[in-house]
Amino acid sequence: MHSHVRRGLPMLTAVGLTVGVTALAAPAAHAEPDCGRAPVQYSVDGGAHWTNDATMPAESGSVQVRLAGVPTAGCDYHVSLGSYATQGTTWATSGQQTFLGWATTTLTREHYRDTLDVTGHLPRCYGELALYSVGEKYDGSDSDHPLPHYPDEPFSGLVIASWNGGTACAPTPTGSPTTPAPTPTSAATPTPTPTSATAPAPTPVPGAPTASPRATPRTPATTTPATSAPTLAATGSDDGLLTAAGVAAAALIAAGGVALRLGRRR
């Protein structure tokens, strides 16, 4: 029996050495750190006050973020700020949203504080600001990055804080533009219309018969039937003839009287 044990000892020693060398050569297992959700605080007043309230106290295009406490070594915490135009002042009335701008950063144990700035992309009227713990831009560019739309939000469960508010945009004027009045110009002097025009006398053609002027047509006299006692009516130039005849007769009578007296004297 002892001889069998002595013969087996070298074999067991060789096996033990092989197992030991193999164990020493194997790499040590690497344990991933348990990062969990980013313990983020934010400030909208330049770092004067820090909070982790889910509702932002005011609209701010510049938001400072930092890791609270002692973050786990080897962990990366992505934080993003998105700006959107909305159709209402609350999340429930936000309606159709329009992407305006986005900023993101990665916080670590060594780089535990940063500033997200979207001041050049703030909503002019109703709007929303969303601070969330993921490094994705939800701008509606594809199905994996949809726009927020109540009641669904792409960063559900990842929102650190948000702001909704603003004022209504001024209505767009719908009236037609006013046509400017025409510039007054000097009135043109009207050309007088000639009342009558004297036709130039035609130039006579040698050898052609001279045309007699057209006699003005006269209205024929109306014939009055004769009555039992004809009445003489003297009008116009007939009265002048009668007067002249009377004067001539008186002159003849006077001349006859003178001649008669002369004859008697003789």
Side-chain angles (χ1 to χ4, degrees), residues 18-43:
T18 302
V19 173
V21 172
T22 302
L24 291 174
H30 178 69
E32 292 290 338
D34 184 12
C35 297
R37 184 174 177 179
V40 175
Q41 292 180 330
Y42 67 91
S43 173

Side-chain angles (χ1 to χ4, degrees), residues 84-253:
Y84 302 88
T86 66
Q87 296 178 319
T89 57
T90 65
W91 167 235
T93 62
S94 59
Q96 183 67 41
Q97 298 200 21
T98 303
F99 176 78
L100 300 177
W102 176 74
T104 189
T105 186
T106 300
L107 302 179
T108 64
R109 190 169 184 173
E110 294 75 23
H111 178 67
Y112 64 91
R113 180 171 171 172
D114 206 347
T115 300
L116 300 175
D117 194 346
V118 292
T119 52
H121 307 282
L122 289 176
R124 294 188 304 106
C125 310
Y126 296 138
E128 176 181 346
L129 294 174
L131 182 68
Y132 52 93
S133 56
V134 66
E136 298 290 336
K137 178 170 63 175
Y138 295 100
D139 57 356
S141 58
D142 53 46
S143 59
D144 293 331
H145 301 84
L147 292 168
H149 193 288
Y150 180 83
D152 301 319
E153 56 184 0
F155 28 76
S156 178
L158 303 173
V159 177
I160 300 171
S162 62
W163 170 89
N164 288 86
T167 58
C169 288
T172 303
T174 57
S176 57
T178 304
T179 303
T183 304
T185 57
S186 57
T189 304
T191 303
T193 303
T195 55
S196 62
T198 303
T203 303
V205 179
T210 303
S212 300
R214 293 185 179 182
T216 302
R218 302 183 63 182
T219 304
T222 303
T223 303
T224 303
T227 57
S228 56
T231 303
L232 292 178
T235 60
S237 59
D238 294 339
D239 291 341
L241 294 175
L242 291 176
T243 301
V247 172
L252 290 175
I253 293 174

